[in-house]
Amino acid sequence: MAGIRERTYIMVKPDGVQRGLVGEIIARFEKRGFKLIAAKLVSPPKGQLEQHYADLSSKPFFPGLIKYMLSGPVFAMVWEGLDAVKTGRVMLGATNPLQSAAGTIRGDYALAVGRNICHGSDTVENAEKEISLWFPEGIVQYSLLQETMIFE
Ligand code: IDP
Ligand code: MG
């Protein structure tokens, strides 16, 4: 089936790590049927965060965003599965948690746009760029034995 190998970069931000939500966020992606192909707790250098958020560098909130992202370690992950990028964004919820639907990660656990717990790639192209940026060492290859129970 087309699209089942799509990959997305999902990151628990410093507030999510501090609030003990790493396991909860992993569990949601696991239970949905996505395959975990990379994960690590990291304190990235400032330059890596500036590169990750380069598209937002002219925004007034950019310095605050970088400061927030540097306030503690992040939990970086790559998940693979059908329509992973778009579905990952739906699972995260709207950028501003006040507009995130209940049942989404942000809609269940966050209130403020500047403390919205998690990141998810917005396009397949950006996902591939983010995966290279955060996992230059490469990712694990394995087959998920329950795959025939998740995809036709
Ligand atoms: P996204 O994370 O849903 O893709 P983006 O527009 O790419 O949203 O913004 C990246 C991150 O920048 C957001 O997740 C949020 O943490 C932060 N951000 C976006 N807009 C604002 C704002 O208006 N004030 C403060 N922080 C913001
Ligand atoms: Mg974004």
Side-chain angles (χ1 to χ4, degrees):
M1 183 188 286
I4 73 167
R5 298 275 168 249
E6 190 170 300
R7 307 184 304 172
T8 191
Y9 175 66
I10 301 290
M11 169 166 59
V12 185
K13 296 179 178 182
D15 51 336
V17 173
Q18 288 289 339
R19 292 180 54 198
L21 294 170
V22 169
E24 171 68 27
I25 293 169
I26 290 174
R28 288 180 179 224
F29 280 85
E30 278 185 324
K31 288 175 190 168
R32 187 72 189 262
F34 288 108
K35 178 167 88 171
L36 182 64
I37 53 173
K40 62 183 177 186
L41 186 74
V42 280
S43 291
K46 191 177 185 194
Q48 186 170 332
L49 291 165
E50 287 169 344
Q51 199 178 331
H52 176 81
Y53 282 126
D55 292 354
L56 300 173
S57 60
S58 61
K59 301 279 185 190
F61 60 81
F62 187 73
L65 172 62
I66 298 301
K67 194 174 167 209
Y68 155 51
M69 293 299 297
L70 280 169
S71 67
V74 300
F75 194 74
M77 296 172 276
V78 182
W79 290 92
E80 182 187 280
L82 187 62
D83 213 9
V85 170
K86 199 171 104 221
T87 309
R89 295 279 294 186
V90 171
M91 290 168 67
L92 262 51
T95 301
N96 184 342
L98 293 180
Q99 267 111 53
S100 307
T104 64
I105 294 164
R106 289 164 174 166
D108 286 350
Y109 301 115
L111 287 168
V113 68
R115 295 290 184 272
N116 63 359
I117 291 177
C118 49
H119 165 83
S121 308
D122 59 355
T123 62
V124 172
E125 190 190 350
N126 284 338
E128 290 303 321
K129 276 191 210 156
E130 291 170 4
I131 292 166
S132 308
L133 176 66
W134 289 89
F135 291 95
E137 68 274 31
I139 55 176
V140 176
Q141 301 290 334
Y142 70 104
S143 49
L144 195 63
L145 299 178
Q146 59 172 343
E147 197 166 272
T148 55
M149 298 295 123
I150 295 168
F151 303 118
E152 291 176 55

